[in-house]
Amino acid sequence: MNKLIIFSAPSGSGKTTVVNHLLETMSNKLAFSISATTRSPRPGETSGKEYHFLKLEDFQSKINNNEFLEFEEVYAGILYGTLYSEVEKIWAEGKAVVFDVDVKGGLALKRRFEKQALAVFLRPPSVEILLERLTKRSTEVEHQLKERIDKANYELSFESQYDVIVVNDVLEDTFKTCEELVLNFLDNNG
Ligand code: ADP
Ligand code: 5GP
């Protein structure tokens, strides 16, 4: 069965850290769905690795061509979307697809793929700790940081709709819990 593993959480909860760990330790079983986005690359990010960074007009033409499995305006004026081509390529390699998507995109994928999908909500231990992690990461300018924190409580209200909630407190524990969840899902679900 073709499978999907979805990670959602407020920005700064640790999705990228956890997803990268899983991809490194289980590279024979998992591959990352590289989303398209209209946001600018952060220092160190390259198109085709973290994201396919697109101009708005190119993103819009992909919407018109039905190339997206789902897409959302996650932040004001910034679009993010999952490309069918990514998912099909990974399934063709015999691997499960890993997603780092916002709550709406995550739940849209879960509704569509049901038992084929494991939807994991990664929760920060508290909103204060989330703010601390986001500030330390220092990738956002002030107004973007505020927008991300303002959105965190809204995103947290979706957690009960996920298959499982993992509190990302001690990173090593989170890694272990997520590894077990993924292995269990891949082995025991058809
Ligand atoms: P997201 O992808 O959800 O926005 P990141 O993976 O970029 O989050 O994590 C945000 C910041 O918090 C990064 O600087 C990361 O190194 C740090 N971080 C992630 N998990 C933990 C943890 N369990 N304890 C402390 N810092 C963490
Ligand atoms: P960032 O700008 O920090 O990389 O990501 C911002 C948010 O966009 C995160 O919540 C991330 O999960 C979400 N995101 C990334 N790719 C996609 C996607 O393809 N679809 C949706 N719906 N959200 C995405």
Side-chain angles (χ1 to χ4, degrees), residues 8-20 42 51 75 100 122 125 129-130 132-140 148 167-175:
S8 297
S11 181
S13 301
K15 288 178 305 278
T16 309
T17 309
V18 171
V19 163
N20 284 345
R42 294 174 184 145
Y51 285 104
Y75 300 108
D100 170 344
L122 204 61
I129 291 178
L130 180 71
E132 203 178 288
R133 287 183 190 167
L134 261 183
T135 314
K136 265 198 206 146
R137 191 176 72 185
S138 54
T139 45
E140 271 68 41
R148 281 165 188 254
V167 179
N168 180 21
D169 189 353
V170 178
L171 193 55
E172 286 305 319
D173 294 347
T174 306
F175 283 168

Side-chain angles (χ1 to χ4, degrees), residues 119-123 159-160 162-167:
V120 182
F121 192 93
L122 204 61
R123 189 209 290 159
E159 67 177 21
S160 62
Y162 276 72
D163 294 323
V164 54
I165 300 168
V166 176
V167 179

